[in-house]
Amino acid sequence: QVQLVESGGGLVQPGGSLRLSCAASGIIFSYYTMGWYRQAPGKQRELVADISSGGRTTYADSVKGRFTISTDNAKRTIYLQMNSLKPEDTAAYYCNARPSRWGWGPGTQVTVSS
């Protein structure tokens, strides 16, 4: 059974940083392209960043240059380093494969506000 558990969110001021983690179990982690998604209130869930099994990364234009996705295959954990946060980054953040193929975890809330 696949389980994805996100953590690391919180309240941060504009310009601040956060590091999100996603612990994955029940999968052979390195077989998949993994992604971070986010969903703001009233909006559809969107892909923020992804990383292939070979380490190739892609980013949404809105976060390019500010966010960095990485993985630790031994720990089966995906990270999202978020710098220079903006109020528009406020959302619940989730991890999943890209395209998504498993049930969604609980997510972790990121709120950027002064």
Side-chain angles (χ1 to χ4, degrees):
Q1 183 177 357
V2 176
Q3 188 173 19
L4 303 167
V5 180
E6 302 89 353
S7 62
L11 173 64
V12 63
Q13 292 187 341
S17 298
L18 285 173
R19 188 193 194 204
L20 307 184
S21 300
C22 171
S25 60
I27 61 174
I28 301 176
F29 188 76
S30 59
Y31 281 10
Y32 302 97
T33 293
M34 297 298 296
W36 277 99
Y37 300 77
R38 69 185 180 188
Q39 186 169 21
K43 295 187 177 182
Q44 289 189 334
R45 188 171 287 155
E46 62 173 348
L47 179 68
V48 172
D50 62 55
I51 183 166
S52 72
S53 57
R56 181 176 179 178
T57 58
T58 60
Y59 298 92
D61 287 344
S62 58
V63 306
K64 201 171 293 183
R66 300 187 298 121
F67 290 10
T68 303
I69 188 172
S70 61
T71 60
D72 184 329
N73 288 343
K75 295 182 179 180
R76 297 186 179 183
T77 301
I78 315 156
Y79 302 100
L80 186 68
Q81 177 66 44
M82 306 188 297
N83 299 328
S84 302
L85 283 162
K86 303 176 180 180
E88 51 264 43
D89 295 318
T90 295
Y93 284 72
Y94 304 85
C95 67
N96 209 308
R98 187 195 66 83
S100 61
R101 59 189 299 143
W102 306 301
W104 295 96
T108 187
Q109 179 66 37
V110 172
T111 302
V112 184
S113 175
S114 54

